[in-house]
Amino acid sequence: MKVKVINNSKHSLPEYQTPQSAGLDLRANIEEPITLGYLERKLIGTGLYIELPEGFEAQIRPRSGLAFKYGLTVLNSPGTIDADYRGEIKVLLVNLSKEPFTIEDGERVAQMIVAKHEQISWESTESLSDTERGAGGYGSTGKL
């Protein structure tokens, strides 16, 4: 699929890191380093603007290595970019570690996955079909 993009960043376009990667790594496009303290959050610009086809969304997700090693994650994960949004892609990062984390210009801070989606229409009803699970929620199929 082709996606129109405007790259106003200082960096090359996002790329897949391996042939079967689902996500494209997004880079910080910032003028100076940004340090996040414990539980601090900040919007990080990428300098990228996209035009997705109707019926698709871009999901912004954490990079697993940053989350595991440094406690840095995407706060509204996954963040959704709708097909009709034309603003800059920004990543809402939060530091869950007690150690400060400094984001440098060009650093890969999140990944973006483009996915097809459907819109629904509601059908009001008085009952739902029975299933083996039924109304069993949190922990109903094993340990939490």
Side-chain angles (χ1 to χ4, degrees), residues 4-14 29 46-50:
K4 291 181 180 180
V5 61
I6 295 172
N7 185 359
N8 284 343
S9 79
K10 303 176 281 293
H11 313 291
S12 58
L13 288 174
N29 188 58
T46 66
L48 299 174
Y49 302 74
I50 61 175

Side-chain angles (χ1 to χ4, degrees), residues 14-18 20-26 59 61 110-114:
E15 296 179 345
Y16 296 101
Q17 296 299 305
T18 66
Q20 295 185 28
S21 292
L24 299 146
D25 287 337
L26 297 176
Q59 299 173 0
R61 300 180 181 183
Q111 58 181 324
M112 180 176 77
I113 294 174
V114 175

